[in-house]
Amino acid sequence: GAGVSQSPSNKVTEKGKDVELRCDPISGHTALYWYRQRLGQGLEFLIYFQGNSAPDKSGLPSDRFSAERTGESVSTLTIQRTQQEDSAVYLCASSHSRGPAGELFFGEGSRLTVL
Amino acid sequence: LAKTTQPISMDSYEGQEVNITCSHNNIATNDYITWYQQFPSQGPRFIIQGYKTKVTNEVASLFIPADRKSSTLSLPRVSLSDTAVYYCLVGEYNFNKFYFGSGTKLNVKP
Protein backbone atom coordinates (compact mmCIF):
# COMPACT_ATOMS: atom_id res chain seq x y z
CA GLY A 1 0.00 0.00 0.00
CA ALA A 2 0.93 3.65 -0.15
CA GLY A 3 1.33 4.11 3.57
CA VAL A 4 1.74 2.26 6.84
CA SER A 5 -1.42 0.37 7.63
CA GLN A 6 -2.47 -0.63 11.14
CA SER A 7 -5.32 -2.78 12.36
CA PRO A 8 -7.57 -2.73 14.19
CA SER A 9 -8.03 1.03 14.38
CA ASN A 10 -9.93 0.60 17.64
CA LYS A 11 -9.95 -2.25 20.12
CA VAL A 12 -11.90 -2.49 23.34
CA THR A 13 -11.06 -5.41 25.56
CA GLU A 14 -11.55 -6.61 29.10
CA LYS A 15 -8.79 -6.66 31.65
CA GLY A 16 -6.87 -9.92 31.49
CA LYS A 17 -7.53 -10.64 27.82
CA ASP A 18 -4.80 -10.89 25.19
CA VAL A 19 -4.73 -8.55 22.19
CA GLU A 20 -2.87 -8.53 18.90
CA LEU A 21 -2.16 -5.40 16.91
CA ARG A 22 -1.00 -5.56 13.33
CA CYS A 23 1.22 -3.31 11.25
CA ASP A 24 1.81 -3.41 7.49
CA PRO A 25 4.84 -1.23 6.71
CA ILE A 26 5.52 0.57 3.47
CA SER A 27 6.83 -1.87 0.90
CA GLY A 28 10.62 -1.84 0.76
CA HIS A 29 11.06 -0.30 4.20
CA THR A 30 13.50 -2.41 6.17
CA ALA A 31 13.03 -0.74 9.55
CA LEU A 32 9.85 -0.99 11.63
CA TYR A 33 9.06 0.60 14.99
CA TRP A 34 6.34 0.34 17.59
CA TYR A 35 5.49 3.22 19.92
CA ARG A 36 2.90 3.70 22.62
CA GLN A 37 1.17 7.03 23.20
CA ARG A 38 -0.99 7.55 26.26
CA LEU A 39 -3.62 10.25 26.21
CA GLY A 40 -2.06 13.70 26.12
CA GLN A 41 1.48 12.39 26.31
CA GLY A 42 4.44 11.90 24.01
CA LEU A 43 5.48 8.72 22.27
CA GLU A 44 7.16 5.89 24.17
CA PHE A 45 9.54 3.73 22.16
CA LEU A 46 8.66 0.03 22.46
CA ILE A 47 10.58 -2.04 19.91
CA TYR A 48 12.58 -1.72 16.70
CA PHE A 49 13.13 -4.19 13.86
CA GLN A 50 15.78 -3.79 11.18
CA GLY A 51 15.81 -6.38 8.41
CA ASN A 52 16.80 -9.79 9.70
CA SER A 53 18.76 -8.46 12.66
CA ALA A 54 17.73 -9.22 16.22
CA PRO A 55 15.08 -6.69 17.30
CA ASP A 56 15.80 -3.99 19.85
CA LYS A 57 13.29 -4.79 22.59
CA SER A 58 14.66 -2.37 25.15
CA GLY A 59 11.48 -0.28 25.28
CA LEU A 60 9.01 -3.07 26.04
CA PRO A 61 7.51 -2.22 29.46
CA SER A 62 7.01 -5.76 30.70
CA ASP A 63 7.14 -9.39 29.63
CA ARG A 64 3.44 -9.17 28.80
CA PHE A 65 4.47 -7.29 25.67
CA SER A 66 6.01 -9.01 22.68
CA ALA A 67 6.35 -8.33 18.98
CA GLU A 68 7.23 -10.31 15.91
CA ARG A 69 8.11 -9.45 12.37
CA THR A 70 8.59 -11.83 9.49
CA GLY A 71 11.41 -10.63 7.29
CA GLU A 72 10.68 -7.12 6.10
CA SER A 73 6.92 -7.43 6.14
CA VAL A 74 4.07 -7.46 8.61
CA SER A 75 4.63 -7.04 12.33
CA THR A 76 2.38 -8.06 15.20
CA LEU A 77 2.46 -6.54 18.68
CA THR A 78 0.93 -8.81 21.30
CA ILE A 79 -0.13 -7.74 24.77
CA GLN A 80 -0.96 -10.58 27.12
CA ARG A 81 -3.19 -10.30 30.18
CA THR A 82 -4.03 -6.70 29.43
CA GLN A 83 -4.21 -4.16 32.23
CA GLN A 84 -6.01 -0.83 32.34
CA GLU A 85 -2.70 1.02 32.16
CA ASP A 86 -2.15 -0.56 28.74
CA SER A 87 -4.89 1.68 27.36
CA ALA A 88 -3.21 3.88 24.76
CA VAL A 89 -2.72 4.42 21.05
CA TYR A 90 -0.15 2.04 19.63
CA LEU A 91 1.67 3.55 16.67
CA CYS A 92 3.72 1.72 14.09
CA ALA A 93 6.26 3.39 11.83
CA SER A 94 8.58 2.26 9.08
CA SER A 95 11.58 3.78 7.36
CA HIS A 96 13.96 3.05 4.52
CA SER A 97 17.41 2.18 5.77
CA ARG A 98 19.00 4.33 3.10
CA GLY A 99 16.77 7.35 3.61
CA PRO A 100 17.52 10.31 5.87
CA ALA A 101 17.65 9.15 9.43
CA GLY A 102 14.62 10.32 11.36
CA GLU A 103 12.26 10.14 8.41
CA LEU A 104 9.75 7.76 9.90
CA PHE A 105 6.41 7.11 8.26
CA PHE A 106 3.67 6.46 10.79
CA GLY A 107 0.39 4.65 10.58
CA GLU A 108 -2.83 6.02 12.03
CA GLY A 109 -2.42 3.90 15.14
CA SER A 110 -4.48 1.32 16.99
CA ARG A 111 -6.42 2.72 19.91
CA LEU A 112 -6.61 0.17 22.73
CA THR A 113 -9.07 0.55 25.58
CA VAL A 114 -8.86 -1.91 28.45
CA LEU A 115 -11.95 -1.94 30.62
CA LEU B 1 20.84 9.97 22.68
CA ALA B 2 20.86 13.62 23.64
CA LYS B 3 18.02 14.77 25.87
CA THR B 4 15.83 17.54 24.51
CA THR B 5 13.82 20.24 26.27
CA GLN B 6 10.92 22.06 24.63
CA PRO B 7 8.17 24.38 25.90
CA ILE B 8 5.06 22.42 26.79
CA SER B 9 2.73 24.73 24.87
CA MET B 10 2.57 27.88 22.78
CA ASP B 11 -0.23 30.09 21.51
CA SER B 12 -0.23 32.05 18.28
CA TYR B 13 -2.60 33.78 15.89
CA GLU B 14 -3.23 33.12 12.24
CA GLY B 15 -0.75 34.80 9.94
CA GLN B 16 2.00 35.09 12.55
CA GLU B 17 5.42 33.48 12.37
CA VAL B 18 5.95 30.90 15.09
CA ASN B 19 9.34 29.90 16.46
CA ILE B 20 9.66 26.82 18.66
CA THR B 21 13.01 26.35 20.35
CA CYS B 22 14.45 23.04 21.48
CA SER B 23 17.40 22.76 23.87
CA HIS B 24 19.85 19.89 23.48
CA ASN B 25 22.88 20.86 25.53
CA ASN B 26 24.62 17.49 25.30
CA ILE B 27 24.29 17.03 21.57
CA ALA B 28 27.08 14.89 20.13
CA THR B 29 29.22 15.57 17.08
CA ASN B 30 27.42 12.98 14.96
CA ASP B 31 23.91 13.98 16.02
CA TYR B 32 21.30 15.39 13.65
CA ILE B 33 18.22 17.36 14.69
CA THR B 34 14.83 16.27 13.42
CA TRP B 35 11.37 17.78 13.93
CA TYR B 36 8.00 16.07 13.67
CA GLN B 37 4.43 17.33 13.62
CA GLN B 38 1.50 15.41 15.06
CA PHE B 39 -2.17 16.24 14.52
CA PRO B 40 -4.83 14.84 16.86
CA SER B 41 -5.66 11.20 16.17
CA GLN B 42 -2.81 10.84 13.68
CA GLY B 43 0.74 9.54 13.75
CA PRO B 44 3.60 12.05 13.71
CA ARG B 45 4.83 13.38 10.39
CA PHE B 46 8.43 14.26 9.52
CA ILE B 47 8.86 18.01 8.97
CA ILE B 48 12.53 18.84 8.67
CA GLN B 49 16.03 17.71 9.59
CA GLY B 50 19.34 19.53 9.89
CA TYR B 51 22.88 19.35 11.22
CA LYS B 52 24.04 22.98 11.36
CA THR B 53 23.21 26.51 10.19
CA LYS B 54 19.87 26.77 8.40
CA VAL B 55 17.66 24.34 6.53
CA THR B 56 14.50 25.35 4.69
CA ASN B 57 11.83 23.35 2.93
CA GLU B 58 8.31 24.05 1.74
CA VAL B 59 6.90 23.63 5.25
CA ALA B 60 9.36 25.17 7.69
CA SER B 61 12.85 26.44 8.43
CA LEU B 62 15.25 25.05 10.96
CA PHE B 63 17.84 27.33 12.52
CA ILE B 64 20.81 25.78 14.30
CA PRO B 65 23.44 28.03 15.96
CA ALA B 66 27.13 27.29 15.73
CA ASP B 67 27.30 25.54 19.12
CA ARG B 68 24.32 23.33 18.14
CA LYS B 69 23.06 23.27 21.72
CA SER B 70 19.66 24.41 20.59
CA SER B 71 17.58 24.59 17.45
CA THR B 72 14.56 26.63 16.39
CA LEU B 73 11.76 25.44 14.19
CA SER B 74 10.21 28.37 12.34
CA LEU B 75 6.73 28.16 10.84
CA PRO B 76 5.93 31.12 8.58
CA ARG B 77 2.43 32.63 8.62
CA VAL B 78 0.68 29.88 10.56
CA SER B 79 -2.92 28.95 9.95
CA LEU B 80 -5.47 27.16 12.11
CA SER B 81 -4.42 23.90 10.47
CA ASP B 82 -0.95 24.22 11.98
CA THR B 83 -2.42 23.52 15.42
CA ALA B 84 -0.55 20.38 16.41
CA VAL B 85 2.15 18.97 18.68
CA TYR B 86 5.72 19.51 17.48
CA TYR B 87 8.50 17.17 18.56
CA CYS B 88 12.24 17.74 18.50
CA LEU B 89 14.52 14.71 18.26
CA VAL B 90 18.30 14.50 18.37
CA GLY B 91 20.39 11.52 17.34
CA GLU B 92 23.05 10.18 15.01
CA TYR B 93 22.34 10.17 11.29
CA ASN B 94 21.93 6.41 11.37
CA PHE B 95 20.30 6.27 14.75
CA ASN B 96 17.61 3.71 15.16
CA LYS B 97 15.76 4.53 18.35
CA PHE B 98 13.80 7.73 18.18
CA TYR B 99 12.81 9.25 21.50
CA PHE B 100 10.03 11.76 21.03
CA GLY B 101 9.56 13.33 24.44
CA SER B 102 6.41 15.30 25.20
CA GLY B 103 6.67 17.86 22.41
CA THR B 104 5.29 21.40 22.17
CA LYS B 105 1.56 21.85 21.74
CA LEU B 106 0.99 24.77 19.37
CA ASN B 107 -2.44 26.35 19.46
CA VAL B 108 -3.20 28.71 16.57
CA LYS B 109 -6.10 31.05 17.20
CA PRO B 110 -8.19 32.92 14.63
Side-chain angles (χ1 to χ4, degrees):
Chain A
V4 177
S5 177
Q6 292 188 246
S7 61
S9 55
N10 280 286
K11 176 71 175 180
V12 180
T13 190
E14 295 179 347
K15 178 180 174 181
K17 300 283 189 181
D18 297 351
V19 296
E20 282 190 357
L21 308 176
R22 175 187 169 104
C23 173
D24 278 283
I26 293 173
S27 178
H29 280 192
T30 57
L32 186 147
Y33 310 78
W34 284 98
Y35 288 87
R36 177 172 71 179
Q37 187 170 34
R38 293 192 166 113
L39 185 64
Q41 298 187 20
L43 282 71
E44 297 175 67
F45 168 81
L46 296 178
I47 189 168
Y48 159 73
F49 296 90
Q50 173 62 274
N52 294 317
S53 301
D56 181 342
K57 304 179 181 181
S58 60
L60 294 178
S62 76
D63 59 7
R64 296 187 296 104
F65 288 73
S66 63
E68 294 183 350
R69 186 185 187 194
T70 304
E72 297 181 356
S73 61
V74 171
S75 175
T76 302
L77 176 68
T78 302
I79 309 173
Q80 295 179 312
R81 305 180 302 282
T82 53
Q83 304 294 313
Q84 288 183 333
E85 63 262 28
D86 298 334
S87 295
V89 175
Y90 290 82
L91 289 159
C92 176
S94 69
S95 71
H96 196 298
S97 62
R98 287 185 291 277
E103 191 164 11
L104 300 183
F105 295 84
F106 281 84
E108 296 292 313
S110 292
R111 182 177 299 277
L112 174 65
T113 303
V114 182
L115 302 178
Chain B
L1 293 174
K3 178 179 171 58
T4 61
T5 303
Q6 302 175 237
I8 295 174
S9 65
M10 295 180 66
D11 288 334
S12 182
Y13 291 92
E14 284 191 290
Q16 290 187 331
E17 178 184 78
V18 171
N19 296 309
I20 305 174
T21 297
C22 178
S23 297
H24 26 81
N25 292 320
N26 59 339
I27 189 170
T29 302
N30 295 330
D31 285 347
Y32 279 69
I33 300 154
T34 310
W35 285 80
Y36 276 81
Q37 175 190 54
Q38 185 179 27
F39 296 114
S41 302
Q42 294 186 24
R45 181 181 69 134
F46 174 94
I47 299 177
I48 197 166
Q49 183 181 72
Y51 182 79
K52 63 180 179 180
T53 62
K54 177 184 174 182
V55 179
T56 297
N57 62 23
E58 64 278 5
V59 176
S61 294
L62 178 60
F63 296 91
I64 305 169
D67 66 6
R68 304 200 325 121
K69 293 185 181 301
S70 67
S71 59
T72 299
L73 175 73
S74 181
L75 305 172
R77 298 178 298 281
V78 294
S79 64
L80 295 177
S81 63
D82 292 316
T83 294
V85 178
Y86 293 82
Y87 296 95
C88 165
L89 286 74
V90 174
E92 290 190 21
Y93 189 73
N94 291 318
F95 63 86
N96 302 317
K97 281 189 293 191
F98 301 90
Y99 294 98
F100 279 75
S102 298
T104 298
K105 185 173 182 179
L106 173 64
N107 183 31
V108 180
K109 304 175 183 179

